[in-house]
Amino acid sequence: MDEMEEELKCPVCGSFFREPIILPCSHNICLACARNILVQTPDAESPQSSRASGSGVSDYDYLDLDKMSLYSEADSGYGSYGGFVSAPTTPCQKSPNGVRVFPPTVPHPPQAQHHLLPHTGVLPPVPRNSCLTCPQCHRSLTLDDRGLRGFPKNRVLEGVVDRYQQSKAAALKCQLCEKSPREATVMCEQCDVFYCDPCRLRCHPPRGPLAKHRLVPPAQGRISRRTSPRKISTCTEHELENLSMYCVQCKTPVCYQCLEDGKHSTHEVKALGAMWKLHKGQLSQALNVLSDRATEAKEFLVQLRNMVQHIQENGVEFEACLVAQCDALIEALNRRKAQLLSRVTKEHEHKLSVVRDQISHCTVKLRQTTGLMEYCLEVIKENDPSGFLQISDALIRRVHMTENQWGKGSLTPRMSSDFDLTLDSGPLLQTIHQLDFVQMKVPAAPILQLEECCTQTNSATLSWKQPPLSTIAVEGYILELDDGTGGQFREVYVGIEMICTVDGLHFNSTYKCRVKAFNSSGVGQYSKTLVMQTSEIAWFTFDPASAHPDIILSNDNLTVTCNSYDDRVVMGNTGFSRGVHYWEMTIDRYDNHPDPAFGIARADVMKDVMLGKDDKAWAMYVDNNRSWFMHNNSHTNRTDGGISKGATVGVLLDFSRGILLFLINDEQQGPVAFNTLEGMYYPAISLNRNVQVTLHSGLPIPDFYTPGESEAAGSVC
């Protein structure tokens, strides 16, 4: 109810609607407010005005039809009105509701001001050439001679406003309490009476005919309860006629006189009650859809509120993590500081030790030198020549030796007083300045787009995307498939693209697929596993990409011939490595008895020689009388029976036994041609210009052949 209050307020005055009128744009405005925002235009500039058609709506008491509506007790009263033309726009200002309104730019004459005429209690007439601008959609309209009376009154809105104000006025009381009425707890819609609990149990027991009555909460009953009898609506064109029909073309209620001699005489009309019922049903359906949207919006708001809580929690957690990381950096810096100070202390102590040792050494030498000098001076004082000469040579040598001890380097400090250590803090400071947030999380699990994932023959195409709200950078994706038998997954694609087609899968196999994303921080979680089934039948065609240039293909790459007299090779576009496969080739043209060869080959087989000439092919070549098996240019098992135009050559490859055999016209040609076959093989044929054949793939196994045990229970692939 509180949310509805804004719908019940005028966009100009901001108060509840009083005598609301409906503008042609379907917006509402108080009659007095409409008069206040009128703009008078000069006659010379006044556009040609047309009549404001439309009128009020019928308010007949269709109680039985009213049950169709879930939301309203009366018709809406809305209509469509034509005949208004645009008028010049005027400066706007804000109303109390925040909606732009357009005040008069030309002063109204005294009779146009919003004052009641003396002794009448009604509004004065609107001056001619007046213009009204809707305060909500800003559509400008020029009024006709009827002025504001040309707009229908919105009696439904007026009634809703009255009921809303009454429901807010006071608490609802029981209507059957004799003294001191208690607060009502229910209202009976059929009895139109408010009951308290004791009075309801005494006067309205839920049995008999009263059991079918509908009890609603008092507030709902007050809103739905009509406080005054319905008024009969009259036509604005013919004031003495009641509105009884509805013009479909003009979308407005009309009277019988409008249909007889008015402008609606040629229009399609329908019964007012039927259209009332129809429009109520349409409004109810529209409101049901809108209610679903409102429910979704409420759920979305709950999600957003939960996000606010999660953001707050994550913010606190992230701040704590940031503080811990910075504290760890500071602690590491302090530890490094202690280590560097220890090195400085050691260097300091080492220098002092060296200098002190040198001081001690020089002190001893200086004491010895001083003693020698004093002794020599005393010797020089002696007057005995013979005695002097006896020791003079030795003293001279000692003096020279002592002098030499004070030679180069002995008077040079062994250690500098400067510390030859410089702390290189520049890179660290630069790193600190560059310290910033980087992507530290692994990507979220991708989402497989099932509508774009598919299989075709033995190929699978997968498509995926990142979650919609994920902002984590992705450097690439890893696509994994199992081996088609429930084995381990293996990587089949690594790259940045989000769509991939995997070729060369086994036919009639079920593969499990999954994908994950990665970045510099690591590899994210896997997506959900998707199960894909390859084709049960091995359909294939000749492959123009791998064919020799002389090969000519037609019929959607099913028919092949050659423009050279030499044998040329063409292979199928699908390789086999598992299962049992059978295909046939029909001889469409066979001239001059050539030797076409049929069989299987590796992907790197030679293309300019007969099939089977190298060690990459296993084939049977045949003419019009006989055939041979050939591999690595070794010819074996000559067998009678050849081919001609219209003949059919069949090839059966069974990986369960590792064998290859051939048929001509549905009969096996010779023994098993080759065995111990393993790996990937492609169907192949070699021919020259004298032969043309057509391929038939995906055929069932011939009746005479029984596949190996591992394939007997499965389908042919």
Side-chain angles (χ1 to χ4, degrees):
M1 295 296 293
D2 293 336
E3 288 82 356
M4 185 181 68
E5 185 170 316
E6 290 301 321
E7 292 286 335
L8 307 180
K9 291 184 177 180
C10 175
V12 176
C13 63
S15 302
F16 287 108
F17 281 107
R18 297 184 62 185
E19 298 184 89
I21 59 174
I22 308 173
L23 302 180
C25 56
S26 299
H27 293 129
N28 299 280
I29 189 174
C30 296
L31 179 61
C33 294
R35 181 172 292 275
N36 285 337
I37 64 174
L38 283 175
V39 177
Q40 185 176 2
T41 59
D43 291 340
E45 298 179 3
S46 175
Q48 183 181 0
S49 62
S50 60
R51 191 174 184 81
S53 64
S55 61
V57 297
S58 174
D59 204 14
Y60 289 119
D61 194 12
Y62 297 104
L63 293 179
D64 56 331
L65 301 180
D66 190 54
K67 297 177 182 177
M68 291 296 297
S69 175
L70 301 177
Y71 301 96
S72 174
E73 281 290 327
D75 55 359
S76 65
Y78 282 84
S80 177
Y81 315 94
F84 292 93
V85 295
S86 299
T89 59
T90 57
C92 64
Q93 64 186 20
K94 291 282 186 177
S95 73
N97 274 357
V99 179
R100 293 191 300 169
V101 297
F102 295 79
T105 55
V106 180
H108 290 302
Q111 67 272 19
Q113 301 301 318
H114 183 197
H115 297 292
L116 297 177
L117 293 178
H119 311 296
T120 63
V122 298
L123 293 172
V126 175
R128 298 185 60 183
N129 301 327
S130 296
C131 173
L132 176 65
T133 301
C134 175
Q136 290 183 282
C137 65
H138 316 311
R139 178 181 175 184
S140 298
L141 303 168
T142 299
L143 277 64
D144 59 9
D145 294 338
R146 293 179 299 170
L148 295 178
R149 291 184 295 108
F151 298 109
K153 294 182 179 180
N154 194 339
R155 294 177 294 101
V156 173
L157 177 58
E158 190 173 10
V160 173
V161 171
D162 291 341
R163 293 194 297 273
Y164 180 80
Q165 290 178 322
Q166 290 176 10
S167 67
K168 291 290 186 178
L172 300 173
K173 300 295 183 179
C174 176
Q175 294 177 286
L176 298 183
C177 292
E178 296 181 358
K179 296 180 180 180
S180 301
R182 287 183 288 268
E183 186 174 346
T185 57
V186 295
M187 173 197 173
C188 177
E189 288 188 335
Q190 283 70 28
C191 301
D192 197 18
V193 175
F194 290 97
Y195 297 95
C196 63
D197 286 336
C199 292
R200 177 178 59 82
L201 295 176
R202 184 178 69 256
C203 304
H204 200 289
R207 61 180 179 270
L210 298 179
K212 298 182 180 180
H213 287 198
R214 183 172 179 236
L215 302 179
V216 297
Q220 181 179 345
R222 172 62 68 87
I223 291 299
S224 61
R225 189 177 187 184
R226 300 192 178 275
T227 58
S228 60
R230 298 178 181 269
K231 299 178 181 179
I232 303 301
S233 301
T234 58
C235 179
T236 56
E237 298 282 348
H238 313 93
E239 296 182 355
L240 299 179
E241 296 291 337
N242 296 333
L243 297 173
S244 56
M245 302 296 290
Y246 183 83
C247 178
V248 178
Q249 181 175 343
C250 300
K251 297 182 179 180
T252 182
V254 295
C255 66
Y256 280 107
Q257 191 170 350
C258 291
L259 300 180
E260 292 179 359
D261 55 6
K263 64 179 181 179
H264 304 282
S265 58
T266 59
H267 295 174
E268 178 186 1
V269 295
K270 291 186 178 181
L272 193 64
M275 293 304 296
W276 186 30
K277 177 179 178 180
L278 175 63
H279 282 205
K280 279 199 169 187
Q282 293 175 351
L283 179 59
S284 297
Q285 293 177 0
L287 286 178
N288 284 331
V289 177
L290 184 60
S291 177
D292 294 339
R293 296 294 178 269
T295 302
E296 294 176 0
K298 291 180 181 178
E299 295 174 354
F300 180 64
L301 285 175
V302 172
Q303 179 183 355
L304 291 180
R305 293 189 180 98
N306 292 336
M307 286 184 62
V308 170
Q309 182 179 357
H310 293 160
I311 291 173
Q312 292 175 344
E313 294 174 354
N314 293 338
V316 173
E317 181 181 354
F318 190 76
E319 288 178 1
C321 180
L322 177 62
V323 171
Q325 289 178 318
C326 291
D327 290 344
L329 292 176
I330 295 173
E331 184 179 356
L333 185 61
N334 287 331
R335 288 197 302 268
R336 188 58 179 167
K337 173 184 175 182
Q339 294 173 357
L340 294 176
L341 287 175
S342 176
R343 287 183 55 185
V344 171
T345 301
K346 291 180 179 179
E347 182 70 14
H348 172 257
E349 292 176 352
H350 174 67
K351 286 180 175 291
L352 290 179
S353 175
V354 171
V355 173
R356 286 169 179 168
D357 289 344
Q358 190 175 13
I359 291 174
S360 176
H361 180 69
C362 289
T363 301
V364 173
K365 285 181 60 177
L366 182 59
R367 185 181 299 111
Q368 294 174 353
T369 301
T370 304
L372 178 60
M373 291 173 58
E374 293 178 353
Y375 173 67
C376 290
L377 290 175
E378 292 298 327
V379 171
I380 291 175
K381 294 179 181 178
E382 288 294 331
N383 295 324
D384 183 5
S386 60
F388 176 81
L389 292 175
Q390 287 178 346
I391 62 174
S392 61
D393 290 335
L395 289 176
I396 291 173
R397 286 194 301 272
R398 286 184 61 191
V399 170
H400 286 302
M401 289 176 59
T402 302
E403 180 185 2
N404 291 333
Q405 292 177 356
W406 293 101
K408 293 182 178 180
S410 60
L411 298 179
T412 302
R414 299 177 186 174
M415 185 65 64
S416 172
S417 60
D418 297 330
F419 284 81
D420 298 329
L421 298 175
T422 302
L423 182 62
D424 186 11
S425 61
L428 179 58
L429 290 174
Q430 184 177 1
T431 303
I432 292 176
H433 290 309
Q434 294 176 349
L435 187 63
D436 202 349
F437 299 106
V438 295
Q439 186 62 60
M440 295 298 293
K441 293 184 179 180
V442 298
I447 299 175
L448 289 170
Q449 302 191 84
L450 302 182
E451 65 278 4
E452 298 183 13
C453 297
C454 62
T455 58
Q456 185 175 9
T457 62
N458 66 332
S459 298
T461 299
L462 293 103
S463 177
W464 58 89
K465 63 181 181 180
Q466 279 297 105
L469 299 180
S470 176
T471 58
I472 302 175
V474 175
E475 297 179 4
Y477 301 91
I478 301 174
L479 175 63
E480 296 182 356
L481 271 70
D482 68 353
D483 59 0
T485 60
Q488 294 183 347
F489 283 89
R490 66 187 189 278
E491 294 183 3
V492 297
Y493 169 76
V494 178
I496 193 61
E497 299 296 333
M498 291 188 288
I499 186 170
C500 177
T501 298
V502 183
D503 297 322
L505 302 177
H506 298 299
F507 286 91
N508 194 28
S509 299
T510 301
Y511 286 89
K512 295 180 180 178
C513 317
R514 63 187 185 184
V515 64
K516 58 185 177 180
F518 65 88
N519 58 18
S520 57
S521 299
V523 180
Q525 296 292 324
Y526 284 105
S527 66
K528 293 183 178 180
T529 301
L530 177 65
V531 179
M532 306 187 74
Q533 173 74 39
T534 55
S535 175
E536 295 183 0
I537 303 299
W539 301 101
F540 64 91
T541 65
F542 291 118
D543 184 14
S546 64
H548 190 278
D550 294 337
I551 290 292
I552 300 175
L553 295 172
S554 59
N555 189 24
D556 294 329
N557 297 329
L558 293 175
T559 300
V560 60
T561 185
C562 181
N563 61 9
S564 172
Y565 286 105
D566 297 323
D567 290 309
R568 299 293 185 249
V569 174
V570 60
M571 298 191 301
N573 61 356
T574 299
F576 304 120
S577 61
R578 189 175 67 185
V580 181
H581 310 275
Y582 178 70
W583 62 95
E584 292 180 347
M585 282 162 280
T586 302
I587 309 301
D588 300 329
R589 180 167 51 83
Y590 187 77
D591 302 329
N592 301 324
H593 311 299
D595 301 324
F598 309 87
I600 59 176
R602 302 287 191 186
D604 55 348
V605 67
M606 296 175 61
K607 307 292 177 53
D608 54 357
V609 296
M610 178 183 288
L611 192 68
K613 285 285 187 180
D614 61 0
D615 62 348
K616 306 295 184 182
W618 294 256
M620 175 189 75
Y621 69 94
V622 58
D623 59 17
N624 61 324
N625 291 319
R626 52 196 173 273
S627 65
W628 293 264
F629 301 147
M630 183 167 62
H631 169 64
N632 200 16
N633 205 24
S634 174
H635 307 253
T636 60
N637 297 97
R638 172 180 169 175
T639 305
D640 292 335
I643 60 173
S644 61
K645 180 179 178 180
T648 299
V649 177
V651 182
L652 195 152
L653 176 62
D654 185 355
F655 283 99
S656 65
R657 295 178 177 176
I659 64 174
L660 178 69
L661 56 86
F662 298 93
L663 295 84
I664 295 180
N665 295 328
D666 299 328
E667 297 290 336
Q668 183 172 341
Q669 184 74 359
V672 173
F674 304 99
N675 50 32
T676 66
L677 297 175
E678 294 180 352
M680 179 69 70
Y681 299 92
Y682 293 84
I685 180 177
S686 67
L687 44 69
N688 62 17
R689 65 184 303 166
N690 293 315
V691 183
Q692 177 176 304
V693 302
T694 296
L695 172 66
H696 307 278
S697 64
L699 302 178
I701 300 174
D703 294 336
F704 74 89
Y705 184 77
T706 301
E709 294 182 358
S710 61
E711 300 291 340
S715 302
V716 179
C717 48

